[in-house]
Amino acid sequence: MLWLLPALPLAGAVILLLLGRIGDRWGHWLGCLAALASFGVAVWAFAAMLGRTGDARALHHSYFSWVPAAGLQADFSLQLDQLSMCFALLITGVGSLIHLYSIGYMSHDRDRRRFFAYLNLFLAAMLVLVLADNYLVLYLGWEGVGLASYLLIGFWYEKPSAATAAKKAFVVNRVGDMGLVIALFVMFATFGSIDFGHVFAGAPHAGTGTLTAIGLLLLLGACGKSAQVPLQSWLLDAMEGPTPVSALIHAATMVTAGVYLVARSNPIFDLAPGARAAVMAVGAVTLLFGAIIGCAKDDIKKALAASTMSQIGYMMLAAGLGPIGYAAAIMHLLTHGFFKAGLFLGAGSVMHAMNEQTDMRRYGGLRKLMPITFVTFGLGYLAIIGVPPFAGFFSKDRIIEAAFAFGGVGGWVTGIAALAGAGITAFYMTRVVLLTFFGERRWDEGVHPHESPVSMTGPMILLALGSIASGGLLAFGSALQNWLAPVVGERHAESVLPSWAITVFALGVVVVGIWVAYDEYARSVPRTAPAGSPLTRAARADLYGDAFNEAAFMRPGTHLTRSLVFVDNRGIDGIVNTTAALIGGLSARIRRVQTGFVRSYALSMFTGAALVVAALLAVRLL
């Protein structure tokens, strides 16, 4: 029954899309039912897995032969092990809550049925990705996620900004996807297969250079889906889609795909230290990159989007640490799924009450008018900045501790980067809370803030409970680490600093970040953005990520394309056209000899015979 996990939301998407306007009145309920049914299957599968032990917990099933080509045999096969079980529960559980929230949020949208069809498609594609038993099926889900994100980001396609954002996300992800495609080619050339089992079994016998190349190509694919440097530029623009889309992309689906790819491919990365170091470096750079951007954003959704970039950076950093960090990466991914979904849905609740206003400088004083939103958002805030005993405290501290335990210069650099990121996170998230819920009321005339309906606040409350309890439950007795050990391995390392010291340092930088934000934003908030320092201006411009891509890739690519077109038109086509013209001209002139008149042919024969006779006579005389 494993196929039911992706099949149920896929069936919901197909029905809603094919029925058209017939399903407008009840399509949202069908979409929610499909998501909840898939979640029920995931819970049932989890309970069944708990009843088994050892290798019996992992299930593999091949449904049909998909690509029976010579030399390449790829089946459509799925697997459910401890790693994919974590993702299946997260995707269907949090995804179902986002579906329920969307009933109220999209209640006045005339295309609500189409919206729920795309949400179902998103869940189905992501489930195929994490349940795949080989890289080709994984790639099918990978591209399905890219398609669904394109459709949802550009859902309000009549807005030029939304259409542009969807196209940008699609194009940037295609760059990363080429890395994954080439990695599959190299795997097949090296191992003769793209099945997980064959590739991982053959990895110890492959050369380090080959494994490093595969690892770097997989990392390129992960950077695209998870919005990591240098392919991060699409994520902030993706906020043009409806807020539930942002919650789904950032918490339960798309951006977690890159982390899953690295964790699933751990046998390759463990044998390729260079590729693993690249994963760690990308994560460390991105966690600071996103955190700095988040400090200067006045749009509440873009501030949270920058936060996602940073938090995924934490996960990539942990995954790059190898066996001492894989479990920490997945723990932070799961806790992040709760508090980031709650934060985005809270932001959507505020926007719903503020006539879709996203500028936090137009908020202020909402805590009394929207108490449920304030409390649930506040719990997510405490979780993301790592205040004990909330979820982020357990998962983020594990990553910081694992970084210092890694040892060497790399361990110290990444550990310090993770600590700095914790302080910056506390600053920009405190800024978001202060600008939104505290201070004087700064909203425009005609705005009447009010609490959201229960269809929206209900999922927010459940996610807030997850923000409180998920970290402690996963960390208790090293539960998640022991659960994932059969898939990602397990290795303990002694940190250069004791655990209590790391906790004290982390909490210390968090307190400093909170205090700096309070000192700057608790008193007064300007309604227009001040010029700020060069770093502030750079952060508002997304640290010039788009400018760099334009200068480094787009413009050189444009010039290269124009040069190739010139060479093609004037060079290759010129040679072909010149040759054709010469032959055509020569043919035209030769054709004049063939006049069709007998007298002309007779004259030609007489002339030729006379020349032959003259030549013979000349030879004879000589």
Side-chain angles (χ1 to χ4, degrees):
M1 307 301 288
L2 182 58
W3 61 275
L4 281 174
L5 276 168
L8 287 168
L10 180 61
V14 171
I15 292 172
L16 291 175
L17 289 173
L18 292 182
L19 285 181
R21 292 296 178 186
I22 298 174
D24 281 353
R25 299 182 63 181
W26 47 265
H28 52 288
W29 293 113
L30 176 61
C32 290
L33 180 62
L36 287 167
S38 185
F39 176 60
V41 173
V43 172
W44 170 78
F46 177 62
M49 184 177 287
L50 289 176
R52 300 189 297 270
T53 58
D55 294 338
R57 283 184 166 172
L59 303 176
H60 303 263
H61 190 76
S62 178
Y63 293 93
F64 57 87
S65 179
W66 185 18
V67 183
L72 174 61
Q73 300 295 323
D75 295 341
F76 189 90
S77 53
L78 302 178
Q79 71 168 351
L80 186 67
D81 59 11
Q82 291 87 334
L83 178 61
S84 53
M85 188 76 256
C86 291
F87 280 82
L89 289 171
L90 174 69
I91 295 164
T92 57
V94 175
S96 295
L97 292 177
I98 294 171
H99 274 69
L100 293 172
Y101 175 94
S102 300
I103 294 175
Y105 190 87
M106 301 293 290
S107 59
H108 302 297
D109 196 295
R110 63 184 301 271
D111 288 325
R112 181 168 61 170
R113 169 197 50 83
R114 178 168 62 89
F115 179 77
F116 276 87
Y118 292 165
L119 287 185
N120 274 191
L121 179 62
F122 214 153
L123 290 192
M126 189 66 187
L127 285 167
V128 169
L129 192 159
V130 300
L131 295 173
D133 195 26
N134 62 64
Y135 280 102
L136 190 60
V137 178
L138 182 149
Y139 184 71
L140 173 66
W142 193 270
E143 291 302 320
V145 166
L147 171 63
S149 66
Y150 170 78
L151 295 172
L152 284 167
I153 294 169
F155 180 76
W156 290 320
Y157 56 85
E158 65 276 5
K159 295 169 53 181
S161 57
T164 301
K167 181 173 66 175
K168 182 177 182 180
F170 195 80
V171 170
V172 173
N173 272 272
R174 297 291 73 72
V175 176
D177 292 353
M178 287 306 300
L180 180 56
V181 170
I182 298 173
L184 266 61
F185 293 162
V186 178
M187 287 178 192
F188 179 66
T190 304
F191 307 110
S193 173
I194 52 176
D195 289 342
F196 290 154
H198 288 95
V199 171
F200 298 159
H205 309 291
T208 303
T210 301
L211 294 175
T212 300
I214 294 174
L216 292 175
L217 290 168
L218 292 176
L219 174 60
L220 180 60
C223 285
K225 278 290 180 287
S226 293
Q228 300 292 282
V229 172
L231 300 179
Q232 81 293 341
S233 61
W234 66 270
L235 189 63
L236 295 170
D237 293 323
M239 297 304 98
E240 289 292 337
T243 300
V245 175
S246 303
L248 195 61
I249 288 176
H250 289 251
T253 55
M254 189 166 178
V255 296
T256 64
V259 181
Y260 171 80
L261 180 64
V262 175
R264 174 61 69 188
S265 306
N266 67 87
I268 294 174
F269 284 96
D270 288 344
L271 295 171
R276 204 171 67 189
V279 174
M280 189 165 56
V282 165
V285 170
T286 307
L287 78 87
L288 294 175
F289 198 95
I292 292 171
I293 291 175
C295 294
K297 290 299 179 183
D298 297 316
D299 185 310
I300 187 171
K301 289 177 65 176
K302 290 192 175 183
L304 294 178
S307 168
T308 297
M309 192 191 306
S310 178
Q311 299 304 308
I312 299 294
Y314 271 105
M315 301 171 205
M316 295 294 285
L317 186 158
L321 297 173
I324 65 173
Y326 290 129
I330 301 303
M331 179 188 291
H332 196 54
L333 186 149
L334 296 175
T335 59
H336 178 265
F338 285 103
F339 58 71
K340 185 50 64 66
L343 289 169
F344 265 110
L345 297 190
S349 178
V350 171
M351 292 165 55
H352 185 76
M354 300 293 292
N355 295 347
E356 299 304 315
Q357 174 65 261
T358 61
D359 191 340
M360 294 182 290
R361 293 168 298 173
R362 300 294 190 271
Y363 293 166
L366 294 177
R367 68 184 187 281
K368 295 180 180 179
L369 299 174
M370 306 180 67
I372 298 177
T373 300
F374 168 61
V375 172
T376 55
F377 194 96
L379 293 173
Y381 156 72
L382 293 173
I384 193 174
I385 67 174
V387 173
F390 297 93
F393 166 76
F394 295 96
S395 56
K396 193 180 293 185
D397 268 27
R398 286 287 178 92
I399 295 175
I400 296 172
E401 186 175 344
F404 281 110
F406 186 75
V409 176
W412 277 98
V413 171
T414 54
I416 293 172
L419 278 175
I424 302 173
T425 301
F427 171 82
Y428 69 73
M429 285 307 304
T430 303
R431 174 178 179 267
V432 170
V433 171
L434 291 175
L435 292 179
T436 304
F437 296 103
F438 292 88
E440 60 183 3
R441 301 177 178 184
R442 303 180 299 275
W443 55 75
D444 299 326
E445 292 291 334
V447 177
H448 305 287
H450 55 278
E451 188 58 270
S452 299
V454 68
S455 61
M456 296 171 64
T457 56
M460 290 159 55
I461 292 172
L462 293 176
L463 290 169
L465 294 176
S467 300
I468 297 171
S470 60
L473 291 175
L474 296 174
F476 182 75
S478 299
L480 183 64
Q481 187 170 356
N482 295 332
W483 173 261
L484 292 173
V487 182
V488 300
E490 182 180 12
R491 183 167 68 86
H492 298 280
E494 292 295 330
S495 176
V496 293
L497 297 173
S499 297
W500 64 265
I502 293 175
T503 300
V504 170
F505 286 142
L507 290 177
V509 296
V510 166
V511 170
V512 171
I514 295 173
W515 180 83
V516 173
Y518 180 83
D519 183 65
E520 185 167 351
Y521 293 99
R523 296 180 180 85
S524 63
V525 179
R527 290 177 65 85
T528 57
S533 66
L535 180 58
T536 301
R537 293 195 296 271
R540 286 184 183 137
D542 302 338
L543 294 182
Y544 304 117
D546 285 336
F548 173 80
N549 289 337
E550 182 176 345
F553 302 109
M554 190 276 283
R555 293 193 181 280
T558 300
H559 293 311
L560 176 62
T561 303
R562 289 174 178 170
S563 300
L564 293 175
V565 169
F566 178 81
V567 171
D568 182 56
N569 289 339
R570 299 299 179 87
I572 299 174
D573 285 354
I575 294 173
V576 173
N577 294 336
T578 301
T579 303
L582 287 173
I583 295 175
L586 182 62
S587 299
R589 285 160 178 75
I590 295 176
R591 190 166 58 245
R592 294 175 182 174
V593 179
Q594 303 294 327
T595 63
F597 295 110
V598 174
R599 60 179 180 271
S600 298
Y601 298 155
L603 179 61
S604 298
M605 295 169 64
F606 177 77
T607 302
L611 291 174
V612 170
V613 170
L616 291 174
L617 290 174
V619 172
R620 187 179 184 86
L621 291 174
L622 293 174

